[in-house]
Amino acid sequence: MKFGYYDSCLFLSICMADEGGADLKGMIAFIDYADHSIINWKELRSGLVRLKVIGAVNETDKKVFLAKPFKAWWQKVFRNSQRKTISKQVEEITEYLNTTYSTIGASRRISRTKFTEAAFIKALKEYGK
């Protein structure tokens, strides 16, 4: 499994969320801030599924949380790197995910996210306001 740009942007958006987790609107907003683009449903869904397959994130119906080992890695690598740009962080996250987890195949048991396309569209409309 290969991780791409939006997978890493999602990962970073979840890292940057507070302890309450990242919601759809927050993930959309962060990626727009970081990349000046709006993630689409397919990119969001496939990115979350890939992150779930490797155990990087946990979901509830409304929020996504970074798993403890991944949060510890992120804090270790980026805690004292305030001068790194978001694009540099995304680049390093992509490299880490592909170097460490690319040999893990997609699991049939984890083929969906708890978020729905309807919830995504609603969050996108709310963000647009």
Side-chain angles (χ1 to χ4, degrees), residues 96-121:
Y96 167 71
L97 293 175
N98 282 321
T99 301
T100 311
Y101 299 99
S102 64
T103 59
I104 296 175
S107 169
R108 290 186 179 157
R109 294 186 331 206
I110 303 175
S111 60
R112 299 186 327 181
T113 176
K114 291 185 180 184
F115 294 111
T116 63
E117 187 172 8
F120 172 76
I121 292 168

Side-chain angles (χ1 to χ4, degrees), residues 76-126:
K76 177 183 170 190
V77 173
F78 296 108
R79 176 176 286 143
N80 296 320
S81 60
Q82 296 171 346
R83 294 180 185 240
K84 284 188 181 178
T85 63
I86 289 173
S87 60
K88 182 65 176 167
Q89 289 181 32
V90 168
E91 183 182 307
E92 288 184 28
I93 290 167
T94 304
E95 183 179 333
Y96 167 71
L97 293 175
N98 282 321
T99 301
T100 311
Y101 299 99
S102 64
T103 59
I104 296 175
S107 169
R108 290 186 179 157
R109 294 186 331 206
I110 303 175
S111 60
R112 299 186 327 181
T113 176
K114 291 185 180 184
F115 294 111
T116 63
E117 187 172 8
F120 172 76
I121 292 168
K122 181 181 177 186
L124 193 57
K125 287 179 181 177
E126 288 175 9

Side-chain angles (χ1 to χ4, degrees), residues 3-16 27 30-37 39 51 73-74 77-78 81 83-99:
F3 293 89
Y5 179 79
Y6 280 115
D7 303 331
S8 299
C9 285
L10 282 169
F11 184 96
L12 186 56
S13 74
I14 298 163
C15 291
M16 300 299 277
M27 290 184 280
F30 181 84
I31 292 170
D32 184 25
Y33 168 77
D35 189 53
H36 306 293
S37 67
I39 191 169
L51 293 173
W73 171 83
W74 184 77
V77 173
F78 296 108
S81 60
R83 294 180 185 240
K84 284 188 181 178
T85 63
I86 289 173
S87 60
K88 182 65 176 167
Q89 289 181 32
V90 168
E91 183 182 307
E92 288 184 28
I93 290 167
T94 304
E95 183 179 333
Y96 167 71
L97 293 175
N98 282 321
T99 301

